[in-house]
């Protein structure tokens, strides 16, 4: 059955209430020193993400790949900073495109590409939340806090800076002012296990909620996630989920240039996605840092695709509470 006919069948079954999803590839690797993320969007498509979401009842439009704005040469006093002009160009372009998508569909999905893309995706969707008079919340699923600024980064890899940018922190000379920012108190990070000293101080100063892997080991996934989702519910907020491959343990997801041992397990990751789906709060999604060059028989691409499917409604069984 071709995709056009399948969509027509679904519309007849579901009437006019079919939810819409747009997919945008962001093939950037300018934020990292490891080449290969540029192939990430293609790997997601080959793994069948659009077709899987269609089969779940979504009306899916693949809008192609973003292109960076025109880059202007720019320097910075921190000599470690690399590819600053390219990151600024990508941020400008992606912010604009993310806002357009958030205005025209129920759920924009952004396929990366390194995590510097989130400087643009989150500012774009936050601008839409601002239009609607709703607070923007962010669930950051990552091994890293990505809270460096241009001044504090020692690696110079700007995929370590998007959270500082979209929360409106100083230290981004040359960047366009964020189209809209996210209150740091509306950001929840889970799976964190690799944080530089400058980032640790910054987390404490600005009030981001962090559940590192020790917290998850001690309390599990459900209670911390539900406490955050309750805050989203009470505020009538919009929720962006940003999923980095390195949130997952490298044994199950090797296709990332920043592997950190001790990440989320297969079941922990799927449980998060299932709970998020049941909440009904998610309004946009990043799938970041997939590097197919480092994958093993495409198992990371398939896992990330399956996690996105769980977030959008895929279930093995319908779960029911039983009394024994």
């Amino acid at each position: 059955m071709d995709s056009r006919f399948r969509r027509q069948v679904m519309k007849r079954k579901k009437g006019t209430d079919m939810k819409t999803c747009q997919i945008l590839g962001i093939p950037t690797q300018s934020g990292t020193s490891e080449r290969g993320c540029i192939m990430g969007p293609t790997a997601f498509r080959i793994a069948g993400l659009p077709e899987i979401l269609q089969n779940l009842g979504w009306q899916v439009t693949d809008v192609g790949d973003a292109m960076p704005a025109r880059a202007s040469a720019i320097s910075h006093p921190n000599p470690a900073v690399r590819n600053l002009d390219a990151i600024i160009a990508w941020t400008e372009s992606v912010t604009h495109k993310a806002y357009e998508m958030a205005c025209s569909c129920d759920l924009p999905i952004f396929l990366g590409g390194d995590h510097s893309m989130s400087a643009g995706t989150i500012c774009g969707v936050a601008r839409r939340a601002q239009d609607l008079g709703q607070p923007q919340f962010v669930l950051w699923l990552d091994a890293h806090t990505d809270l460096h600024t241009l001044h504090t980064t020692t690696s110079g890899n700007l995929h370590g800076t998007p959270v500082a940018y979209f929360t409106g922190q100083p230290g981004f000379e040359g960047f366009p002012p964020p189209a809209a920012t996210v209150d740091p108190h509306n950001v929840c990070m889970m799976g964190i296990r690799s944080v530089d000293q400058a980032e640790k101080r910054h987390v404490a100063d600005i009030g981001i909620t962090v559940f590192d892997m020790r917290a998850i080991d001690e309390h599990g996934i459900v209670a911390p996630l539900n406490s955050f989702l309750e805050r989203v519910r009470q505020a009538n907020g919009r929720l962006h989920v940003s999923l980095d491959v390195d949130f997952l343990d490298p044994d199950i997801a090797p296709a990332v240039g920043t592997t950190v041992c001790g990440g989320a397990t297969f079941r922990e990751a799927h449980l998060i996605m299932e709970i998020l789906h049941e909440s009904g709060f998610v309004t946009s999604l990043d799938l970041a840092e997939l590097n197919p060059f480092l994958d093993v028989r495409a198992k990371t691409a398939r896992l990330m695709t399956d996690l996105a499917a769980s977030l959008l409604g895929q279930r093995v069984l319908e779960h029911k509470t039983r009394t024994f």
Side-chain angles (χ1 to χ4, degrees):
M1 182 186 297
D2 66 59
S3 60
R4 180 181 299 176
F5 180 70
R6 182 165 53 242
R7 287 195 295 270
Q8 291 172 346
V9 170
M10 289 178 179
K11 284 181 180 178
R12 286 196 295 270
K13 288 181 179 179
K14 296 179 178 289
T16 59
D17 295 331
M18 194 173 191
K19 288 189 175 182
T20 58
C21 169
Q22 291 183 7
I23 293 175
L24 175 71
I26 306 175
T28 176
Q29 58 187 12
S30 300
T32 177
S33 57
E34 185 78 48
R35 294 185 176 184
C37 281
I38 196 171
M39 301 183 292
T42 298
F44 280 115
R45 291 176 174 117
I46 292 173
L49 180 61
E51 293 80 9
I52 289 170
L53 300 185
Q54 287 171 356
N55 289 335
L56 290 171
W58 287 80
Q59 181 179 336
V60 179
T61 303
D62 188 336
V63 299
D65 287 348
M67 296 288 291
R70 179 177 295 181
S72 300
I74 186 170
S75 60
H76 192 270
N78 182 352
V81 170
R82 299 184 301 107
N83 300 328
L84 179 57
D85 51 351
I87 297 297
I88 291 173
W90 275 109
T91 300
E92 290 179 353
S93 171
V94 171
T95 297
H96 177 72
K97 191 64 180 176
Y99 175 69
E100 285 186 340
M101 292 168 66
C103 290
S104 58
C105 73
D106 295 310
L107 185 81
I109 298 180
F110 308 102
L111 309 179
D114 73 70
H115 222 161
S116 66
M117 74 182 198
S118 294
T121 62
I122 295 177
C123 286
V125 299
R127 180 184 169 196
R128 176 57 175 163
Q130 189 177 77
D131 290 348
L132 296 171
Q134 295 178 273
Q136 181 69 59
F137 286 78
V138 174
L139 179 62
W140 191 259
L141 302 174
D142 200 320
H144 308 87
T145 59
D146 291 347
L147 256 175
H148 277 295
T149 71
L150 302 184
H151 296 278
T152 64
T153 179
T154 56
S155 70
N157 295 327
L158 298 187
H159 65 171
T161 64
V163 178
Y165 179 77
F166 71 68
T167 56
Q169 307 308 305
F172 287 90
E173 299 85 358
F175 275 73
T181 58
V182 178
D183 184 337
H185 293 91
N186 291 349
V187 178
C188 177
M189 297 182 169
M190 300 188 75
I192 302 299
R193 57 195 187 278
S194 177
V195 186
D196 295 339
Q197 288 301 319
E199 293 177 297
K200 289 179 183 178
R201 291 191 295 271
H202 214 169
V203 166
D205 289 343
I206 66 177
I208 289 174
T209 299
V210 176
F211 297 106
D212 61 12
M213 285 309 297
R214 174 170 176 169
I216 291 173
D217 289 341
E218 291 179 345
H219 306 291
I221 285 288
V222 176
L225 180 57
N226 280 340
S227 68
F228 176 63
L229 292 175
E230 178 60 17
R231 288 166 51 197
V232 179
R233 185 193 67 79
Q234 290 182 0
N236 187 31
R238 294 172 67 83
L239 178 58
H240 179 90
V241 176
S242 195
L243 173 61
D244 188 311
V245 172
D246 69 25
F247 169 72
L248 304 164
D249 192 88
D251 284 347
I252 61 171
V256 63
T258 52
T259 54
V260 184
C261 293
T265 66
F266 179 93
R267 268 311 312 154
E268 286 171 335
H270 271 287
L271 180 57
I272 288 172
M273 296 300 145
E274 291 167 6
I275 292 172
L276 288 170
H277 171 72
E278 290 166 0
S279 77
F281 297 148
V282 179
T283 51
S284 49
L285 172 67
D286 291 334
L287 301 174
E289 293 283 353
L290 177 63
N291 187 335
F293 188 74
L294 302 175
D295 213 351
V296 178
R297 294 188 175 182
K299 74 175 185 177
T300 310
R302 290 197 296 267
L303 174 55
M304 290 286 284
T305 296
D306 284 344
L307 290 173
S310 287
L311 177 60
L312 271 69
Q314 181 169 275
R315 292 290 181 272
V316 176
L317 295 172
E318 290 298 327
H319 302 291
K320 295 182 180 179
T321 302
R322 298 181 181 180
T323 301
F324 293 94

